[in-house]
Amino acid sequence: MKETVKTGRINIGTASIVLILLILCLAVFSLLSLSDAQASLSFARRRAESVQAFYQADAKAQTWADSIRGLDLSSALTQGSVPDGASAEASEDGSTIKLTIPLSQGQSLSAEYRLSDGQLISSRIFNSEDYAIDTRLPVWTGPDSTEAETNHPS
């Protein structure tokens, strides 16, 4: 009788399953990379728009400051060319004028100038709209004090 020798070979089905799983993993990782790249591009575009809006508002503020240089308070408020959408107001003591220029996404640029020499005293970006936090999503924050007392009597 002939004896058959068994050799340790890998079945073709096992290799196919491993190959399919490997291709599936590569496809998932490539989709995740694509999604991350799109999110990064979207963030970079929003940031670029924000920076561009800031520099445009800053240039408008500098132009306005040049137009009021050497003017007294009443002349500066009436004759100064306030940019579109912006507002100018004098301080209580009348020594400074504050210019507020709206930016994008609920922010504004505030620049304060001294009238005597036309120097910039302060410049800052602030939120001109109230930030509303969305609380509609029910999130569990832990056991309430009444539940804690009923579950753990002393």
Side-chain angles (χ1 to χ4, degrees):
M1 278 206 245
K2 283 185 168 179
E3 289 187 26
T4 58
V5 179
K6 291 186 178 182
T7 58
R9 358 181 292 216
I10 297 177
N11 294 334
I12 193 70
T14 307
S16 297
I17 290 174
V18 169
L19 184 63
I20 289 171
L21 288 176
L22 182 66
I23 291 172
L24 184 65
C25 288
L26 288 174
V28 167
F29 284 130
S30 66
L31 289 176
L32 288 174
S33 296
L34 180 64
S35 173
D36 183 48
Q38 287 177 339
S40 295
L41 178 63
S42 172
F43 175 73
R45 285 184 176 155
R46 282 183 291 154
R47 179 71 178 143
E49 289 171 5
S50 173
V51 168
Q52 184 177 13
F54 168 75
Y55 282 113
Q56 286 175 350
D58 186 53
K60 289 177 185 177
Q62 292 300 322
T63 303
W64 179 77
D66 289 340
S67 73
I68 65 164
R69 194 171 312 250
L71 299 177
D72 62 344
L73 179 62
S74 61
S75 299
L77 288 174
T78 58
Q79 295 176 3
S81 58
V82 177
D84 293 336
S87 63
E89 59 186 34
S91 63
E92 292 178 8
D93 62 357
S95 64
T96 62
I97 292 183
K98 181 187 280 189
L99 178 69
T100 304
I101 302 174
L103 300 173
S104 60
Q105 300 172 354
Q107 294 182 332
S108 295
L109 173 68
S110 173
E112 189 171 1
Y113 294 92
R114 187 172 34 239
L115 279 176
S116 61
D117 56 0
Q119 290 294 325
L120 176 67
I121 297 173
S122 70
S123 177
R124 66 182 184 97
I125 294 179
F126 65 95
N127 290 330
S128 54
E129 296 176 3
D130 290 334
Y131 178 71
I133 299 174
D134 185 10
T135 59
R136 293 177 293 178
L137 183 64
V139 177
W140 184 70
T141 58
D144 294 338
S145 60
T146 56
E147 290 178 10
E149 291 174 1
T150 58
N151 291 340
H152 303 291
S154 349

